[in-house]
Amino acid sequence: TRPRHGRRMAGAAGGGARGLRTPPPSAPVSWGLTLIVALFGALLRIVRLGEPRAVVFDETYYVKDAWTMLTTGEPRDWPDSVVYDGASVSPNIPFAAGDVDGWLDSAEYVVHPPMGKWLIALGLRLCGGAQHVWAWRIATALAGVAAIVILIRLALRLWHNMPIALVAGYLMAIDGVGIVLSRTGLLDNFIMVFALGAFMLLVMHRDWSRRRLFAAHEADPDARPPQTACSWYRVGAAVLLGLTTGVKWSGTYFFAVFCVISVLWDAWLYHQAGYRRWFLNAGLGSGLLAALYMVPLYALSYLATWIGWFIHPDSYMHDWALSHPGRGVAWLPPTLRSFVEYHRQMWQFHTTLDAPHDYKANPLTWPLQIRPTSFYWEKPSGHPGLCSLAPKSECVAAVTSLGNPIIWWLGSLCTLVAIGIAIWRRGDWRIWAVLAGFLAGWLPWAQYLHRTTFTFYSIVLLPWIILAICYVLDWIRETCTPAPWHATLCCVLVVTTLVSIFFYPIWTAMPVPYEFWLSHMWLDSWI
């Protein structure tokens, strides 16, 4: 039996018969171009990173938790109010002004694992402490830059076309959700970059498996197929997905979905190479073997993020088991019994959270950015910045977690178009690279429509929104002559760039006239 990797496999790797074929650049050139786009994205994220000088949205939890973890080992409670300049105010006011030592001795009840806060704490440690506002946010900014690099390399591996790969990185660099979450000390950027890095490793595992299987079958078609379950790529992916879950529990869905897709890819490669009983040998045998080491690695990586909780006897609920004999999972040692009960309470919190909030957003609307989250809104005194252009207008400064509408609306449409293209092609393994993020980062939220959720959670979808655009762009490149391909590419880049320039001030708290801010509210639900 000959390997089944004829015309369709060739077409999937490069341009079609009519498509524009671009020779792959050398590694130094491709990495140089990658870093140029990443540098551009870094400038959008790091310039004025200390603005606004205020505790923005959920920074009130994560930044202050990170600071107390860095200084005491565990998150500490903060008073509801403090006296500052003769008035009773939120502790956020003196914290933003540099008075950062007002925590209490009691441990705080936190409802997310510690990994993301330790990363924020690392930024605080390396950049001078919580007295510097930009130090709160440097870790998330660097995570956003890393995501640009990873996405470019992933797109290049999927489509073997440098212009498409650079488009992927550029769209990531200029998108509003990516910029806002990179300029704010929240956790969700870490979920996105860890999950994206893990998926990149699983695609690398697929390429490694393909080379092994096709080479082995060419050498001896009757020999037993080589084992492709184990690789360092999957080891790294399991660790990164454990760390993803160590930021927020939603990482569990990424682990489940990504591993299933990886095993299905392996099985299909056995089939394409020409091996018989491909699903039984690869889908079941390879999948079970992979699970035997990936699941423990995933679990251990997650548990490693809780080391601080285990080693500090005054951490929250550390001694719960000693004060509640006979309760919980009785057969566990006391510390583990306390740990399990803590997790049970966290689970109850997350699954029953339905408190009203002005910016609560139905998860089904996230890809269309129907109800963006207002992170910050102030009316600066005087007329600084762009407000000087309209001295008679009211001046405002806002941080609105709103994606570039063109990128998100086009990406949502391209996702549907990409599915149609993949069906028309009678299968294309790369469609799962487009759908993976939606299946893991969006679909599971359908079971929590009653829960209080926010559109900025959609940062985990951003790479896959962009990959959907790239999928359709590659199809146009393969099926059309150069003229429409170039016209489409230029149109996408020009329109998305102009829209990002227009929205950038309200993503980054630049003082602007009120009328200018209002002109960005294209939908009533954006206000």
Side-chain angles (χ1 to χ4, degrees), residues 354-486:
D354 59 358
H357 195 286
D358 289 342
Y359 291 98
K360 179 179 178 180
N362 188 311
L364 299 181
T365 68
W366 293 352
L368 298 178
Q369 300 287 294
I370 298 297
R371 183 57 173 162
T373 312
S374 176
F375 279 8
Y376 175 82
W377 169 272
E378 288 294 334
K379 297 179 180 179
S381 58
H383 286 78
L386 296 177
C387 293
S388 61
L389 301 177
K392 295 183 179 181
S393 175
E394 189 175 36
C395 189
V396 301
V399 175
T400 307
S401 182
L402 169 66
N404 181 312
I406 305 304
I407 292 176
W408 284 85
W409 296 344
L410 179 63
S412 297
L413 175 62
C414 285
T415 302
L416 301 178
V417 173
I419 295 172
I421 293 171
I423 295 173
W424 176 71
R425 285 174 166 172
R426 298 182 181 179
D428 180 357
W429 70 273
R430 295 170 303 178
I431 191 61
W432 296 108
V434 172
L435 297 179
F438 291 93
L439 295 174
W442 182 50
L443 186 61
W445 288 96
Q447 62 186 314
Y448 300 119
L449 297 182
H450 65 284
R451 187 186 183 279
T452 302
T453 60
F454 302 95
T455 298
F456 71 85
Y457 295 175
S458 64
I459 182 64
V460 299
L461 301 181
L462 178 58
W464 284 274
I465 284 281
I466 293 171
L467 288 178
I469 296 173
C470 292
Y471 189 100
V472 175
L473 285 176
D474 183 69
W475 175 75
I476 294 172
R477 179 182 67 91
E478 289 183 352
T479 57
C480 297
T481 56
W485 152 246
H486 287 146

Side-chain angles (χ1 to χ4, degrees), residues 260-329:
V260 169
I261 289 175
S262 182
V263 170
L264 291 177
W265 277 345
D266 270 4
W268 191 245
L269 285 174
Y270 274 73
H271 172 64
Q272 288 182 316
Y275 289 105
R276 298 173 181 175
R277 295 179 296 179
W278 54 274
F279 186 81
L280 183 64
N281 290 334
L284 296 181
S286 177
L288 291 175
L289 184 58
L292 287 176
Y293 72 91
M294 290 187 74
V295 172
L297 279 173
Y298 166 78
L300 290 172
S301 300
Y302 172 75
L303 289 174
T305 67
W306 286 92
I307 289 176
W309 185 91
F310 282 103
I311 65 177
H312 288 90
D314 62 341
S315 54
Y316 187 81
M317 288 186 66
H318 188 278
D319 294 330
W320 177 89
L322 298 179
S323 58
H324 296 78
R327 293 180 59 182
V329 185

